[in-house]
Amino acid sequence: MAERRELFTCRGVLWYLVFCGFAINYMLRLNLHLTIVSMVIPPETSANGMTTISPNISILEYKDRFAWNENEQNLALGSYFWLHWTTQIPGGFLARHYGTKIVFGMGNLLPAIIGFIIPIATYQLYVLVVLRILQGFFAGVVWPSMHNMTAKWIPPNERSRFVSSYLGGSVGAAITYPLCAIIIKGLNWGATFHITSLIGVIWYCFWFFFAFDTPQQHPRISDEEKKYILDSIADSVDEEVKKVPWKSILTSIPVWVVIISQTGGGWALFTLLTHVPTYFSVIHGWNITMTGIISGAPHLLRMLFSYYYSVFSDWLITNKKMSVTNTRKLAVFVSLGMQGIFVCLLSFCGYYPVLAAIFMTSGVTVNGALSAGTLATLVDLSPNFASINLGFSGMIVLSLAFVPPIVTGFLTVNKQTVLQWQKVFLISGGASVLGTIVFLIFGTAEEQPWNKYDV
């Protein structure tokens, strides 16, 4: 057990690499969400009152704005997810056969390269849509591929804490919004894509030289750490690549319960990620800098909450204070249930910007417990097929990710009113609460029989 007191373990280094990798993933996904506010001609108050903007609105003048309406803007924002879901299962499958190092790495590098092209090609809306589709397609392998590495590197009693590195995406979001605001104000909107893509390329260089698929392949790992990892996962993870029990996975009630829960929670989270900048800009009249700060700060809190809540969850399991299943259910209640409640409260804050900021921040923050909830559950159910489970789950959830932007666009096109945004948030919050109820009643974290037998 001496190895666990090392200052820098290979698991610790991997945590930071994965953390930064997910931050890059979200940075490349979300840079358009704030930038689009300065890319389009701002809406005007219509004579019939259908579109409402607060009287104190102050929008800086930027060059090269486009006359895209709400539907066209939501088309650009939602297109990232059109094919994103199709590479979820392939991402898990490729990671099992070729390793997470190459799959996860390419899942960030290729979208970064495409990002360099966006400012040049964006002068035609549908070219932007195609580029965003390609970014989403390549980035779809990121999440499922990492579960394969988690199962091979991380002992069961450390999983919640390690999976918190996936919430590096929250820090990516927290950095992206204010960073884009600063870049736009100091340079132009096109520079936001160049700079975020450059950061992605720099990350890939570190990933290439310091990440390895298994402890056995790592040239610098200590014998003590390697033995500790391999002894800890020996009973649940097989070294050879086993045939995927597709029928068992596709008919697994516990897996479907996770999918339903993630779909409900994802609806609320996608709404907060995608539409909050527009909401605060149009309804509350905040300028691009303030919108960037208020949109990004909650995601930093989400990451911090994720880490410390995951430590708490691992403590509950290690000290047998709660069963693994009940620990996961508690995390789902916090991450999805409380998120839904806060989003519903947000819907009633159209005339109270401070309360709106508080409830939005709270809703994003508590979602950080997801790392100890549904995400960790997918590893618990089947460590051998964790990447396939996450890929299958992600395929279903993300295939529906384009629905929130469509619903929001339908409700708010030419009707940017407090009442219409209230409907947007009530639908999102209700979906998250419903997903929570399903998991609390039917969810389990028990290892499934098909994790070990050959089919």
Side-chain angles (χ1 to χ4, degrees), residues 383-402:
N384 277 319
F385 305 106
S387 61
I388 299 296
N389 286 340
L390 184 57
F392 176 55
S393 171
M395 181 188 72
I396 302 297
V397 175
L398 293 173
S399 67
L400 302 174
F402 66 90

Side-chain angles (χ1 to χ4, degrees), residues 259-332:
I259 291 173
I260 293 171
S261 301
Q262 288 187 324
T263 301
W267 186 304
L269 185 62
F270 291 149
T271 298
L272 292 175
L273 289 175
T274 306
H275 299 294
V276 158
T278 300
Y279 169 72
F280 278 103
S281 176
V282 174
I283 297 300
H284 295 294
W286 292 4
N287 62 33
I288 193 73
T289 302
M290 181 58 69
T291 298
I293 293 173
I294 198 62
S295 299
H299 297 281
L300 179 60
L301 296 176
R302 180 181 181 232
M303 175 60 229
L304 293 173
F305 186 80
S306 172
Y307 181 80
Y308 288 108
Y309 189 89
S310 296
V311 171
F312 170 66
S313 291
D314 284 341
W315 177 82
L316 290 176
I317 295 171
T318 301
N319 293 279
K320 303 186 185 303
K321 301 295 184 180
M322 294 181 72
S323 68
V324 176
T325 292
N326 287 337
T327 301
R328 302 305 181 215
K329 287 186 176 183
L330 178 61
V332 168

Side-chain angles (χ1 to χ4, degrees), residues 391-439:
F392 176 55
S393 171
M395 181 188 72
I396 302 297
V397 175
L398 293 173
S399 67
L400 302 174
F402 66 90
V403 176
I406 290 177
V407 172
T408 301
F410 174 78
L411 291 173
T412 61
V413 62
N414 297 322
K415 293 178 289 185
Q416 292 282 357
T417 65
V418 171
L419 179 61
Q420 293 305 108
W421 278 99
Q422 183 181 76
K423 295 176 183 178
V424 169
F425 292 130
L426 282 175
I427 292 172
S428 302
S432 190
V433 171
L434 181 60
T436 303
I437 294 172
V438 170
F439 193 90

Side-chain angles (χ1 to χ4, degrees), residues 91-349:
F93 180 83
L94 291 171
R96 280 170 51 80
H97 287 270
Y98 300 105
T100 298
K101 179 173 181 175
I102 185 171
V103 177
F104 187 83
M106 288 294 105
N108 276 339
L109 179 63
L110 293 177
I113 293 174
I114 294 173
F116 286 114
I117 306 173
I118 288 180
I120 303 172
T122 298
Y123 292 94
Q124 168 54 248
L125 172 64
Y126 293 103
V127 176
L128 170 62
V129 169
V130 170
L131 292 176
R132 290 291 289 176
I133 290 173
L134 290 175
Q135 282 189 312
F137 176 80
F138 290 122
V141 301
V142 166
W143 280 78
S145 66
M146 183 47 60
H147 256 25
N148 182 67
M149 184 175 277
T150 299
K152 293 179 178 179
W153 268 95
I154 308 303
N157 65 325
E158 297 180 8
R159 276 182 194 146
S160 295
R161 196 178 323 171
F162 183 81
V163 173
S164 69
S165 66
Y166 295 21
L167 275 296
S170 293
V171 175
I175 294 173
T176 300
Y177 288 124
L179 175 64
C180 288
I182 292 171
I183 294 172
I184 292 168
K185 192 172 182 178
L187 298 172
N188 54 67
W189 61 258
T192 63
F193 298 102
H194 291 146
I195 292 175
T196 52
S197 291
L198 178 61
I199 295 172
V201 173
I202 293 173
W203 167 85
Y204 178 77
C205 294
F206 283 93
W207 175 259
F208 182 81
F209 286 107
F210 294 106
F212 296 88
D213 286 309
T214 66
Q216 297 94 317
Q217 295 177 5
H218 202 299
R220 295 178 294 276
I221 191 172
S222 67
D223 292 336
E224 292 81 7
E225 183 179 8
K226 183 191 295 184
K227 183 178 186 302
Y228 169 68
I229 295 171
L230 297 180
D231 288 348
S232 297
I233 66 176
D235 293 335
S236 59
V237 178
D238 297 324
E239 292 187 17
E240 72 276 8
V241 177
K242 299 176 64 176
K243 184 178 179 181
V244 179
W246 286 111
K247 181 178 179 181
S248 297
I249 293 175
L250 294 175
T251 58
S252 172
I253 293 177
V255 170
W256 278 103
V257 167
V258 171
I259 291 173
I260 293 171
S261 301
Q262 288 187 324
T263 301
W267 186 304
L269 185 62
F270 291 149
T271 298
L272 292 175
L273 289 175
T274 306
H275 299 294
V276 158
T278 300
Y279 169 72
F280 278 103
S281 176
V282 174
I283 297 300
H284 295 294
W286 292 4
N287 62 33
I288 193 73
T289 302
M290 181 58 69
T291 298
I293 293 173
I294 198 62
S295 299
H299 297 281
L300 179 60
L301 296 176
R302 180 181 181 232
M303 175 60 229
L304 293 173
F305 186 80
S306 172
Y307 181 80
Y308 288 108
Y309 189 89
S310 296
V311 171
F312 170 66
S313 291
D314 284 341
W315 177 82
L316 290 176
I317 295 171
T318 301
N319 293 279
K320 303 186 185 303
K321 301 295 184 180
M322 294 181 72
S323 68
V324 176
T325 292
N326 287 337
T327 301
R328 302 305 181 215
K329 287 186 176 183
L330 178 61
V332 168
F333 171 76
V334 173
S335 62
L336 303 186
M338 293 183 65
Q339 171 189 252
I341 293 171
F342 284 126
V343 172
C344 288
L345 291 173
L346 171 62
S347 70
F348 296 101
C349 297

